[in-house]
Amino acid sequence: MAQLMVVLDATIVNIALPSAQRELGLTNGNRQWVITAYTLAFGGLLLLGGRIADLVGRKRTFIIGLIGFAAASALGGAAQSPGMLFASRALQGMFAAILAPSALSLLTTTFRDGRERAKAFGIYSAIAGGGAAIGLLLGGVLTEFLSWRWCLYVNVPIAVIAVFGAFGLLHDREGHKESRLDIPGVILGCGGLVALVYGFSEAESRGWSSALVLGLLCGSVVLLACFAWWQTRAPSPLLPPHIIKDRSRAGSVLTMCLTTIGMFGLFLFMTFFLQNILGYSPLRTGLAFMPMSAMIIIGSTQIAARLMHYVQPRLLMGPGLLIASGGLFSLTFIDTHSSYVSHIMPGTLLLGLGMGLTFLPVMSVATSGVAPKDAGVTSATVNTAQQIGGSIGTSLLNTIAITSATAYATSHLAKAAEQAAQRGGLTSAQKTALANTATVHGFTVAIAWAAGILLFAAVLAMVMVTARSPQQREA
């Protein structure tokens, strides 16, 4: 429930944003901070949140994260000004950065047996993969029938249930107080991640050639390079080097990052395609993503969880990513007249199945074989890869889509105007049709890139992830 709350909050506000903008008087320039404030705090502070969980105790930080997230959500739902809404979203991101690694590390340390671990990670992976799509549906329902404010208020009852469950069901040892917090590492690592996430989020609106974007991205590279150097010398490193030196774990973290690039890009384009091109309502758009979410759940809990004990993780990751890439590639053939059932749903079903097969082994391999004192920061590393991948996917693929659409419109507008000159020029309907065609062309080019990224991820997973199955280890 905690993971569902954290993941869906990255998308649930998207559909509510137009209503919030009208009521609070957000400008087109600052409305993006409703999304950016959350992703910036969440992605930038994850490593710190993971290490705090290791030092203080995972159950304690899990409960603190839940209560804080609920309070920040209630504050956002009651927002009376843009500044109040932005601040509440940043607070949500801060508490999510504590909550997410605590949840995953509790799962890692609680379930040690191969079959039980596979089942637990199957459920967790299904929620992690399908939560974003559920957020789109829930956002549509709440915005259409209640108010945009309920897209934030809804977190309160979820958090309350999860807190009671945590007190009654979770058991965890005390924190490892002998360790110390690496303050220089916090400044360098969190600063580098904040600059990276902020740079990618600003690239979406300002463009890649913007001085601010280039400065942020270059600054993030410098800070993260200094962070990597410092971690080899720090007495109590924020991210112990041995965690990412493991070949299979490093391969899984990279695979997670690449996978979310493709997945989050699709959410963005399909939401705009269904609403702006096909004329779907927010609720109908959310419903359109449900078959994909169902396939993620089936792939994780009914296929990957059952096979995980017997086959090498890469034999699930590789085929899963190939299936997902094929699903994305099939969506490159859509046009302004495509129907949902015959053109869109088959591709999203394949993508969902592939994601379901991929997420479970990626998370399991990335968090297995670490000492309990490092479970929190290891979980935070996986979550950071997921968050960074989502930021890169949204900004990079959106830039590709806009560039391709502009180039297509420019090349075809002159030709269409020349052909229509003898009939008195282009009509309003013809201009709209050309604009829609150019937009869809941009979507298909960006989706093709996303398919290529998942194909590369499949190759990387097959080459780098060499971990054996539980059955092979027992033998």
Side-chain angles (χ1 to χ4, degrees), residues 42 46 49-50 53 58 96-106 375-377 379-380 383:
F42 187 19
L46 268 166
R58 285 170 283 272
I98 296 174
L99 181 59
S102 299
L104 184 54
S105 57
L106 277 166
V377 74
S379 303
N383 277 286

Side-chain angles (χ1 to χ4, degrees), residues 9 55 80 123 129 134 159 196 208 221 234 263 279 285 309 320 332 335 337 381-382 403 408 442 449 469:
D9 233 64
L55 297 178
Q80 299 300 313
I123 296 169
I134 294 170
L196 185 65
W208 292 97
V221 171
M263 186 173 175
T285 300
H309 185 74
T332 62
D335 57 34
H337 303 293
T381 304
V382 182
T403 304
Y408 182 92
W449 275 84
S469 68

Side-chain angles (χ1 to χ4, degrees), residues 128-283:
I134 294 170
L136 292 171
L137 172 62
L138 195 56
V141 171
L142 294 173
T143 303
E144 198 158 315
F145 296 108
L146 291 173
S147 161
W148 67 268
R149 297 180 182 276
W150 277 96
C151 292
L152 294 164
Y153 285 144
V154 71
N155 292 317
V156 177
I158 296 175
V160 168
I161 296 170
V163 166
F164 279 108
F167 277 116
L169 300 172
L170 294 180
H171 304 282
D172 186 43
R173 67 184 70 183
E174 290 294 315
H176 298 270
K177 295 181 176 61
E178 71 279 4
S179 301
R180 295 289 180 267
L181 195 60
D182 175 18
I183 301 299
V186 169
I187 296 170
L188 293 171
C190 294
L193 288 174
V194 166
L196 185 65
V197 175
Y198 187 28
F200 277 116
S201 65
E202 287 296 301
E204 189 176 352
S205 57
R206 296 175 182 267
W208 292 97
S209 59
S210 163
L212 176 63
V213 172
L214 291 175
L216 285 167
L217 295 180
C218 291
S220 73
V221 171
V222 172
L223 287 171
L224 292 175
C226 293
F227 172 75
W229 170 82
W230 172 250
Q231 295 309 283
T232 62
R233 289 159 175 77
S236 299
L238 181 66
L239 178 59
H242 67 83
I243 289 177
I244 52 176
K245 280 183 179 179
D246 180 88
R247 176 173 173 168
S248 292
R249 186 175 298 112
S252 295
V253 169
L254 288 172
T255 300
M256 172 62 80
C257 183
L258 292 170
T259 300
T260 48
I261 288 176
M263 186 173 175
F264 273 74
L266 178 84
F267 282 139
L268 177 71
F269 301 134
M270 281 295 105
T271 299
F272 278 108
F273 179 79
L274 292 170
Q275 291 195 38
N276 295 352
I277 305 300
L278 299 187
Y280 279 29
S281 68
L283 175 57

Side-chain angles (χ1 to χ4, degrees), residues 11-29:
T11 57
I12 191 171
V13 177
N14 285 6
I15 289 179
L17 191 53
S19 300
Q21 182 176 2
R22 286 191 297 270
E23 185 173 330
L24 297 181
L26 303 177
T27 66
N28 289 337

Side-chain angles (χ1 to χ4, degrees), residues 406-466:
T406 303
Y408 182 92
T410 302
S411 63
H412 286 72
L413 182 61
K415 186 185 297 183
E418 184 180 337
Q419 293 173 349
Q422 300 173 350
R423 301 188 297 272
L426 288 171
T427 65
S428 175
Q430 287 173 323
K431 290 180 181 178
T432 301
L434 178 61
N436 287 343
T437 302
T439 299
V440 174
H441 173 76
F443 290 168
T444 58
V445 171
I447 290 171
W449 275 84
I453 290 169
L454 290 190
L455 193 62
F456 175 69
V459 175
L460 185 143
M462 292 298 291
V463 171
M464 287 194 67
V465 181
T466 58

Side-chain angles (χ1 to χ4, degrees), residues 311-324:
V311 303
Q312 286 182 281
R314 66 177 176 178
L315 297 182
L316 291 172
M317 294 182 200
L321 288 166
L322 286 175
I323 292 170

Side-chain angles (χ1 to χ4, degrees), residues 20 24 26 30 33-34 37-38 71-92 148-149 152-153:
L24 297 181
L26 303 177
N30 68 15
W33 280 101
V34 178
Y38 179 79
S73 299
L75 180 67
Q80 299 300 313
S81 67
M84 188 174 175
L85 181 59
F86 300 154
S88 69
R89 290 288 285 168
L91 281 173
Q92 277 186 308
W148 67 268
R149 297 180 182 276
L152 294 164
Y153 285 144

